[in-house]
Amino acid sequence: MNEPGPLVLHSTWRGMLANLSAPVILIGVATIAMVRGDGFSVGATIVLVLGLILAYVALFDLPVQCRFASDGIERRCLLRRHRIDWDSVIALRRASGSVVRGHRLEGANRLSVGMGGLAATVGRHRYMLVNHVESRDEYTELSSALASWAPTVPIAAAPPPESAPPTWLYHRRGKGT
């Protein structure tokens, strides 16, 4: 039997922009407060530090895409790549979903609040792999590949709804890139 090729899942542009805009806004507000006021006030300093922490997380820890392969998982963030070997992964689970998105969708397209993207449980830590739910075909492909790559790692994540679009839909290079 042929070994499955790598699978790449992409995060949404909207989610990435939202994660980058929050720290920019906080840093901007703190900077304006410091320029207009008497310099470093306690409130402006707290907002600045919070903005810098969020900027660090957005640039170094929120994945743009995630590549699953026989040697493990590679999370590609804006300013770093993070490899996770299959030996250290306990399970693949769902991250909590967006309450706003769950309430906007109606009928068969409505995703439950708990239907977020995939996260890898490694020890006590959970690493977000993508920021939204993958398509049913991507889930099936990952499940069958995982049986070959790391049969001891369970997917403790519910299958996505049939209506979920593929993660590569809004990316130029298309499927698997």
Side-chain angles (χ1 to χ4, degrees):
M1 181 163 100
N2 292 338
E3 183 165 313
L7 172 67
V8 177
L9 299 181
H10 299 272
S11 290
T12 61
W13 289 110
R14 181 177 29 184
M16 291 184 297
L17 289 174
N19 288 326
L20 288 171
S21 65
V24 168
I25 290 169
L26 289 175
I27 292 168
V29 166
T31 303
I32 290 170
M34 289 177 189
V35 168
R36 286 190 174 174
D38 295 330
F40 287 92
S41 67
V42 173
T45 303
I46 290 171
V47 171
L48 178 64
V49 169
L50 182 62
L52 292 172
I53 290 170
L54 288 177
Y56 176 83
V57 170
L59 295 172
F60 289 96
D61 200 42
L62 293 175
V64 173
Q65 70 173 216
C66 186
R67 181 180 180 270
F68 298 88
S70 61
D71 60 345
I73 302 169
E74 180 182 68
R75 298 170 64 231
R76 188 171 65 91
C77 305
L78 288 173
L79 294 180
R80 87 171 177 140
R81 290 179 189 259
H82 177 210
R83 264 194 49 29
I84 305 171
D85 292 326
W86 287 121
D87 293 340
S88 60
V89 177
I90 295 171
L92 295 180
R93 303 186 188 285
R94 290 259 172 241
S96 54
S98 168
V99 175
V100 174
R101 183 171 184 218
H103 291 291
R104 275 197 330 226
L105 301 174
E106 306 238 353
N109 291 330
R110 187 181 173 110
L111 301 175
S112 70
V113 173
M115 190 58 74
L118 290 173
T121 303
V122 178
R124 291 179 161 187
H125 302 284
R126 287 179 65 166
Y127 294 99
M128 182 188 302
L129 303 176
V130 288
N131 67 8
H132 68 105
V133 69
E134 69 284 357
S135 71
R136 181 68 63 101
D137 289 341
E138 290 169 326
Y139 179 87
T140 304
E141 186 178 343
L142 178 61
S143 296
S144 63
L146 199 57
S148 171
W149 296 333
T152 59
V153 177
I155 297 185
E162 290 286 340
S163 60
T167 63
W168 53 263
L169 188 62
Y170 299 107
H171 295 270
R172 283 188 207 166
R173 290 184 227 150
K175 186 177 180 184
T177 58

